[in-house]
Amino acid sequence: MLLTPYYASLLALIYVALSFNVIRLRMKLQIALGDGKDKQLRRAIRVHGNYAEYVPLTLIMIYFVEIQSQNLLLVHGLCSAFVLARLSHIYGVSQIRENIAFRTFGLFITGCVISISAISIIMA
């Protein structure tokens, strides 16, 4: 049984929630395109965009680790760390008065997950 699809499903649901958040703000502020120079909408758009930029590549890398290594503990570790990293990043960037620690942690752990996956694939 593969694990990555279960984590991908969880991450997909988070993506939908982020999408709905942008839509909700657009409707509330009546801004169809762009951010209308609204700080909260700008942040929501970037949270959604950053998520869309990092999640697909990282999931593909973790999936490759899973099919090459069959090491379920490693896959759980990578996926769990990645979900935690993305949630931290979402929280950090969503705040108008941003605590940079959440954003930094999220990006650092995401980079670690991608790097560990890449090295695991190369070493297999």
Side-chain angles (χ1 to χ4, degrees):
M1 173 179 81
L2 293 173
L3 296 174
T4 308
Y6 293 100
Y7 284 98
S9 296
L10 173 62
L11 290 161
L13 292 173
I14 294 169
Y15 181 82
V16 170
L18 294 174
S19 300
F20 286 169
N21 186 49
V22 172
I23 293 166
R24 179 188 60 79
L25 284 170
R26 286 189 181 287
M27 290 174 66
K28 176 183 171 187
L29 300 168
Q30 297 183 348
I31 299 171
L33 289 173
D35 60 28
K37 298 187 180 175
D38 182 84
K39 291 178 183 179
Q40 192 64 41
L41 180 56
R42 184 178 309 125
R43 285 187 171 274
I45 291 168
R46 278 313 309 144
V47 166
H48 181 258
N50 185 277
Y51 194 90
E53 293 160 5
Y54 277 97
V55 171
L57 172 65
T58 308
L59 279 174
I60 290 168
M61 296 300 291
I62 294 170
Y63 174 74
F64 288 157
V65 168
E66 183 171 15
I67 61 173
Q68 274 192 336
S69 75
Q70 303 288 312
N71 184 338
L72 296 183
L73 187 58
L74 175 61
V75 173
H76 268 303
L78 290 170
C79 287
S80 297
F82 185 55
V83 170
L84 179 64
R86 291 291 84 204
L87 291 174
S88 178
H89 189 271
I90 289 166
Y91 177 77
V93 178
S94 294
Q95 307 304 307
I96 292 291
R97 292 178 160 233
E98 182 179 342
N99 179 342
I100 196 76
F102 289 99
R103 184 180 198 172
T104 303
F105 174 81
L107 189 54
F108 176 74
I109 298 302
T110 296
C112 288
V113 169
I114 294 169
S115 298
I116 291 167
S117 297
I119 292 166
S120 296
I121 292 164
I122 291 168
M123 300 299 282

